[in-house]
Amino acid sequence: MSTPPERPAPAPDLLAEADVRAAARSLLGTPLLHADSHPDELALVRRHREALTRLFAEGLGYRLTVEPTLARLFKTGLGPDASRGLRRRNDALFTPRRYALLALVLAALTRSRQQVMVDELVSAVRSAAVDAGIDVDLDHVHERRALHSALVALVDLGVLSERDGDLEHWAERPTHTLLDVHRDRLAVLIAAPLGTCEQPEDVLTVMAVPSAAGGARVAIRRRLAEQPVLSTEDLTDEQRGWWRRNREREREWFRRNLGLDLELRAEGAVAIDPSGELTDRPFPGGGSAKHYALLLLDELVDAVRTERGASLEGVAWAHVAHSTARHAGDRVFANWKPGLRKAHRENPDAVFDEAIVVLVDAGLVRRDTGGLLVHAAAARYAPKPELLAATAPTGERSLFEVDA
């Protein structure tokens, strides 16, 4: 009896793959999707719920919850790293005090009605502070501003919504503001199981990558998905071994599942989004300080090459002395001062400090004793600025807005 020929494997459903990839990217960018602000993305996630649950669980060790009105991706973080903290609307990072007020608001909301006046919520926050043994003076303007930041953050996340009143000016003057509490979103907001946590360090411990749930594979994929610059120097011996064996395969995994291109280098890798959409901190981005940062980065790379030369091969992080970095900043300032905004033209120290913050946020620079550490990936950012014609109106256009 002859053996029947094997049936060819079914062709992949490219449309379904594209939909799953788009939904995965939406969840990475907005881990709490709800029907009020992201109806189309939520519909796509619900349609591909099983594939997405499997992708995140097996690929990144993340848990996905999908309900009729929301989808929540529980991204458990990368450990003690403050560069991706919660930000205010003015882009300033939350201070520890604001985090404390945010925690107290969440505690108060668990016992509130579905609609609550801000003044009622303030009373509940006072009570929660007493229970937690935290001194809070919400009659003081600085404390009110910290509480206001917490409320605004929850509005932006969709946990609260303003039904009536003037929340924007509440911290400065008494306003009667009525808030809706979306309890389904509140219930899934906290990513870490906090029941066993007694100290802040315990929160990081319970959120760590479990060795039995992917080990090196999950840890490295999380790094590339959350902070796109991967340095082999930052990996454990086990992780470096896994990366050497699997990095070519990982390039295909990231392209197929997340739409990211991996640039592989001796020092590690850089995850690039061709569309430029999947990032919370675009680099270089617009603005005087970010333009200055890009020019400064080029100077820092040149300084590293001059000092280290051929000894840089395979080195992910190179040290630059503080004096060298400041001289580089002075050169940028002298050459490109007319392209900076007025406040920066008048204060070179301020624009230098802001630029360093930008570069640290981008993962290309680290602060180090006596100076900075510059990552090898910084060399891929080579600006080609040009001065505008002398006839261009001054103070109205950036140096980077050059006519083709």
Side-chain angles (χ1 to χ4, degrees):
M1 182 181 293
S2 61
T3 304
E6 293 185 2
R7 293 182 178 179
D13 187 338
L14 298 182
L15 182 59
E17 283 188 6
D19 281 350
V20 171
R21 183 165 54 248
R25 288 165 60 88
S26 294
L27 285 164
L28 285 175
T30 309
L32 177 55
L33 293 172
H34 54 83
D36 290 344
S37 61
H38 301 89
D40 295 338
E41 293 88 343
L42 177 60
L44 195 61
V45 169
R46 293 190 64 204
R47 189 179 311 138
H48 298 282
R49 173 179 183 171
E50 292 184 5
L52 290 165
T53 299
R54 184 168 57 252
L55 166 64
F56 284 115
E58 297 176 359
L60 292 165
Y62 291 160
R63 178 166 61 92
L64 175 64
T65 294
V66 181
E67 298 178 2
T69 59
L70 63 83
R72 174 70 163 108
L73 179 65
F74 292 92
K75 301 198 298 180
T76 47
L78 298 174
D81 174 19
S83 66
R84 288 301 183 271
L86 192 62
R87 291 181 179 270
R88 299 162 60 191
R89 286 180 176 172
N90 65 1
D91 204 39
L93 282 166
F94 258 48
T95 61
R97 192 61 175 176
R98 281 180 165 81
Y99 277 117
L101 268 297
L102 176 62
L104 292 173
V105 172
L106 293 175
L109 288 174
T110 60
R111 294 174 284 187
S112 74
R113 302 190 308 273
Q114 196 159 340
Q115 287 188 341
V116 60
M117 299 294 294
V118 170
D119 288 345
E120 295 178 70
L121 187 54
V122 168
S123 297
V125 168
R126 295 183 198 271
S127 177
V130 172
D131 292 343
I134 299 175
D135 291 330
V136 172
D137 181 8
L138 293 177
D139 294 325
H140 195 284
V141 65
H142 294 297
E143 293 278 68
R144 288 172 62 84
R145 287 172 179 165
L147 178 58
H148 180 259
S149 296
L151 295 175
V152 169
L154 292 175
V155 169
D156 291 342
L157 288 168
V159 173
L160 297 176
S161 58
E162 187 176 355
R163 177 169 288 271
D164 188 30
D166 184 13
L167 180 61
E168 181 179 355
H169 299 100
W170 172 82
E172 311 301 332
R173 63 175 184 266
T175 62
H176 297 287
T177 301
L178 179 64
L179 300 173
D180 287 331
V181 182
H182 301 278
R183 308 199 69 82
D184 56 340
R185 301 167 198 172
L186 176 65
V188 298
L189 188 63
I190 304 300
L194 302 180
T196 60
C197 298
E198 297 181 358
Q199 303 293 331
E201 294 77 11
D202 296 340
V203 179
L204 298 177
T205 300
V206 300
M207 294 171 69
V209 179
S211 59
R217 170 176 56 82
V218 166
I220 290 175
R221 284 181 180 174
R222 283 186 183 180
R223 282 176 178 265
L224 282 167
E226 304 297 342
Q227 293 181 334
V229 178
L230 174 72
S231 304
T232 54
E233 289 181 4
D234 296 335
L235 304 180
T236 65
D237 290 342
E238 176 193 2
Q239 291 168 355
R240 278 193 292 270
W242 184 91
W243 174 247
R244 284 194 299 269
R245 295 189 301 272
N246 295 279
R247 63 181 193 164
E248 291 290 347
R249 190 180 307 165
E250 287 302 285
R251 174 184 278 171
E252 171 58 21
W253 188 90
F254 274 89
R255 184 202 63 77
R256 183 180 68 254
N257 293 295
L258 302 181
L260 298 176
D261 292 335
L262 294 192
E263 285 190 5
L264 304 181
R265 294 290 186 266
E267 303 86 5
V270 181
I272 305 296
D273 180 14
S275 70
E277 297 173 351
L278 194 58
T279 179
D280 62 333
R281 310 294 295 165
F283 180 80
S288 181
K290 292 181 179 179
H291 290 169
Y292 178 99
L294 183 62
L295 295 165
L296 175 61
L297 188 64
D298 194 40
E299 291 280 350
L300 294 176
V301 170
D302 285 346
V304 168
R305 285 171 172 159
T306 299
E307 293 181 3
R308 299 287 296 273
S311 67
L312 281 169
E313 184 176 353
V315 175
W317 294 98
H319 179 81
V320 174
H322 179 73
S323 59
T324 302
R326 283 314 313 252
H327 288 322
D330 292 342
R331 287 194 296 274
V332 172
F333 186 82
N335 291 332
W336 302 103
K337 177 180 177 180
L340 303 175
R341 64 185 177 89
K342 181 179 179 182
H344 288 154
R345 291 197 302 270
E346 296 175 350
N347 192 340
D349 291 338
V351 69
F352 179 85
D353 292 341
E354 288 181 39
I356 295 300
V357 171
V358 170
L359 296 176
V360 170
D361 279 353
L364 298 171
V365 165
R366 291 177 180 173
R367 301 182 191 276
D368 189 42
T369 303
L372 303 171
L373 294 176
V374 180
H375 194 273
R380 77 182 306 278
Y381 297 94
K384 297 180 180 179
E386 299 179 26
L387 282 171
L388 294 176
T391 56
T394 58
E396 294 182 7
R397 298 182 63 193
S398 162
L399 291 173
F400 291 80
E401 297 174 347
V402 179
D403 295 330

